[in-house]
Amino acid sequence: MDSHLAAGYCAATGIYRSTHLAAGAAITASSSFPDYILPRMLLPHLTARPAFIDAATGASLTFAGLRRLAILAARKLAAAAGLRRGHVVLLLSPNSIHFPALSLAVLSLGAILSPANPLLTPDELAAQALDSDPFLLLVSGDLSHKLNSIPDVNNRVVVLIEQLLLAAADGEKLDFDVIPAVEEGIGGDEAAMVFYSSGTTGTSKGVVSTHGNVIAAAAALERAWRGGGGGGVSGDGEVYGCVVPMCHMFGFACFVMGTAAMGETAVVVGGRFSPGKTMEAVEAYGVTTLLAVPPMIVKMARAAAASSPATATARRRRRLRHVVSSGAPLQREHVARFRRSFPDVKLGQCYGLTETTGCIIMCDLHHDDDGGDKWTKASPPLETETKDVAAISIGRLMSDMEAKIIDLASGEPLPPHRTGELWVRSPSVMQGYLNNKEATAKTLVAAGADEGGRWLRTGDLCYVDKRGHLYVVDRMKELIKCNAYQVAPAELEDVLAAHPAIDDAAVASYPDEAAGEIPMAYVVKKQGSSHLRKDEVISFVRSKVAPYKRIRKVVFVDSIPRSPSGKILRRQLKNLLQGSIQERSRM
């Protein structure tokens, strides 16, 4: 077969298209995401099946119970809190079996869901609230103290999740045949969610996804997890392990949109990630597929390598078959270490952005169409333009996805085995950035008259091989991926600039085996501030940002390399680091 055809590539248009079956019918059948997902939960074989299980307590929520709780919570929010269509709801909660029901409750009213990371500091949370202007703050009791810094918090409606769940329980005996599950008239082009992402450059931006985007993403994920099969709800006994935060698009897409839509059980492992706790849950609840981020993969492999032979034997008896990693590329040595520790588990990757409403590229969980081991090796590049032969495939385009690889110099689309910026287009691509037309215009590129919708510039350098598998080579963007979270250097540079003893500063990534990358600061002291110590800089930043954003390393330099326009030349920062090391070695 022609390699271009196998890759789904059309030389005439420069477009790569998914080789999976389209999910168009599923996308157009429902007008809103709750209308798409809630009726499935009434199927006879699903009503009593657990949708979510709390690994710590064993508490569970069946699919019928999930639907019931979503409807009851929605009615309470409408009647008691005055929540209406178009209102924004800021949801601040750790992972729980109730998180999906609360999300569906908000969406079923036509309100707009905006989850916030519980790790955010009060000031960071206030910045998100200032941008999204929520009508209602839905927060768990142990996080309510973080609301104090939100502007006009006393003029906003605050609902404690624990109280809402108690109030919803009072309505358990209501007749659900006469209670509307979804607000009438919600359209697919209406805003459903505002998730916050650093995008391709700069500080955090609100990504607006419509109900149509969410339905498209859920349908594509279902087809990918079904191995390209016929869709629909099977509830065929797969059990998915949830250790990633649902407030992040990866976790939300996989568990609020993915497993719930497919009728599969998800086991929620709460709290700080622990390999031991995770594997105990995997064994106790028969988890077959685990969704994780690279630092978790590293920790699991390390823990397994240090375990006893008896533990290793028990591990081989577990039902775990697949581990799918996302959030940042996996390094080859980490993949090899994991496979030595878990020889019977397929380790693959998926790729997505907040701007694409979740995953758009995924490894094949059920099929290997050429007999090769695409979980751990890339096909050799055919041209010298692609030199990263050690890359590991992130998978193939999911259904209804299109892509271009754009040459950075000419702006022209490239064929297989040529490296350029990845552009993508699909029904799941965001509506745009909230209150930021300039950033939207830079990220969403208008297509030609005969092409259709807009293209999303990802800022990632990629290539496609002859089988249609994609590989991430590098990032154009300046973001740091620490523990799979995006950290914007500009945000940390603003924090450092406020220190009275710092004259100038720049932030860049530094490789770290456990976290992938960590933020490192290059600091120029102010004259007369020779007393400033590295630990003081680290402590100063620690008090102002979330844990994953904290500066982990500091090097003092004489100056920060900048262009004539004042832009930091980050590629030259490594030279400053090397110079600092050499200077210390001569002392």
Side-chain angles (χ1 to χ4, degrees), residues 351-382:
Y351 172 97
L353 306 168
T354 307
E355 288 85 348
T356 59
T357 322
C359 302
I360 57 170
I361 300 168
M362 183 174 282
C363 55
D364 295 324
L365 293 184
H366 303 288
H367 300 289
D368 194 351
D369 53 10
D370 62 358
D373 186 6
K374 61 175 161 275
W375 299 88
T376 58
K377 69 181 180 182
S379 59
L382 301 181

Side-chain angles (χ1 to χ4, degrees), residues 82-88 106 109-112 183-187 190:
L83 186 62
R84 297 289 183 268
R85 189 169 173 174
H87 284 162
V88 175
V106 171
L109 292 173
I112 302 168
E183 187 80 9
E184 292 185 2
I186 302 174
E190 290 187 40

